[in-house]
Amino acid sequence: VQLQASGGGLVQAGGSLRLSCAASGSTFSWYDMGWFRQAPGKEREFVASIRRSGSTNYADSVKGRFTISRDNAKSTVDLQMNSLKPEDTAIYYCAARSERYYSARAVMYPYWGQGTQVTVSS
């Protein structure tokens, strides 16, 4: 599966952005999808995931502010980000995995998009 992320940009603290990831090349509904982020000098970290069943999971740092959703008919997964904080600044990546068991570990996702920059100014 190939993934293409879009929607990043520059926003002031308290603002919102919506990221989108378009998948192609395989049956999208077979995959668990995740969003990860990597800030300068830091390791890539889990942000949110949505399973093929539709169940969702969030990092504590974004719970209540971010919402992940998927549209299997369009082969897309979105991340709605509200109440953004400067510490949300990072490159955001979408990822996919087809294994049956759940994982929030980046190393367990074999398919990755190219990343989109999100910058939140204070």
Side-chain angles (χ1 to χ4, degrees):
V1 62
Q2 292 80 48
L3 304 174
Q4 180 79 28
S6 61
L10 173 64
V11 64
Q12 288 189 331
S16 298
L17 280 174
R18 188 176 184 89
L19 306 183
S20 187
C21 177
S24 62
S26 189
T27 303
F28 181 72
S29 60
W30 292 351
Y31 294 87
D32 291 351
M33 302 298 298
W35 284 97
F36 295 79
R37 67 187 181 188
Q38 188 165 17
K42 295 188 176 182
E43 291 188 356
R44 194 167 297 190
E45 65 174 2
F46 170 78
V47 175
S49 65
I50 184 164
R51 302 212 65 190
R52 66 207 77 187
S53 66
S55 63
T56 59
N57 190 32
Y58 297 91
D60 288 343
S61 59
V62 307
K63 207 170 288 184
R65 299 188 298 123
F66 291 10
T67 303
I68 189 170
S69 60
R70 66 189 296 160
D71 186 332
N72 288 339
K74 296 181 179 179
S75 297
T76 58
V77 56
D78 291 351
L79 185 69
Q80 177 66 42
M81 305 185 295
N82 299 328
S83 303
L84 282 161
K85 305 175 181 180
E87 52 264 41
D88 294 319
T89 295
I91 299 174
Y92 283 70
Y93 299 88
C94 61
R97 67 191 305 272
S98 60
E99 287 74 11
R100 287 184 176 272
Y101 60 93
Y102 175 75
S103 179
R105 297 176 61 204
V107 69
M108 300 304 290
Y109 284 72
Y111 308 105
W112 291 84
Q114 84 287 5
T116 184
Q117 177 71 49
V118 171
T119 303
V120 184
S121 62
S122 57

